[in-house]
Amino acid sequence: MEPCLEKPANSNWGHLSHFFERVEFQNRGAPHTHTIIWVEKSISEMIAENIIRSDLPDPNLEPELYQLVITHQIHTCSPTKCGGPVPPGQTCKKNFPRPYSLVTYYDTNECRYIYRCITERDRWVVPYHPATLLIWNAYMNIQYVSSKNLGKYLSKYVVKSEPSYVFNISEGDKYREHIV
């Protein structure tokens, strides 16, 4: 498979019409991206085709994907990351463990999508796009976004400043110029 998700045959989401991407540096200096893509297929079509998943793959049927999900996509609660671990019956700030659900659907009360989750182990899997995970080989949190939350997401990451104080670099340095 060619590592280009702009090609509909690779991504399964159809033609990529627009995108927004922001590289952000975390406090420890590690870069990560925030990306929004507008694609040809509707969210309903992608849900029907299980394009974004949040399950633990069968290790016998999808061994490589299973290993990547185990390595990168399992949420672990900690006091600094999400305020957890939490008592039984409660969820952390990142909404883990996720609720059981036989299907992926839009929850109007929470204004977000609830992903298919049928086993106890699925409750700790962060949503992923299988093709991207196989190419990226790194953590991702990919989700369908409603119109209401799109503005909030864009505003948060467009105006957010970089934590440039964490870099030990001097004035005139190309790395500093890039970050600032």
Side-chain angles (χ1 to χ4, degrees), residues 24 35 53 61 73 77 161:
E24 179 183 34
T35 306
R53 292 171 53 179
L61 299 176
Q73 297 303 119
C77 287
S161 64

Side-chain angles (χ1 to χ4, degrees), residues 136-177:
W136 192 261
N137 189 18
Y139 171 81
M140 72 178 66
N141 184 340
I142 185 168
Q143 298 184 36
Y144 302 117
V145 178
S146 67
S147 298
K148 182 175 183 177
N149 288 335
L150 178 60
K152 179 180 172 184
Y153 184 86
L154 281 171
S155 297
K156 179 178 179 180
Y157 291 106
V158 168
V159 301
K160 188 175 181 182
S161 64
E162 297 296 345
S164 57
Y165 59 86
V166 300
F167 295 92
N168 188 15
I169 49 183
S170 58
E171 192 70 38
D173 187 293
K174 294 293 181 192
Y175 293 112
R176 183 179 190 282
E177 290 175 13

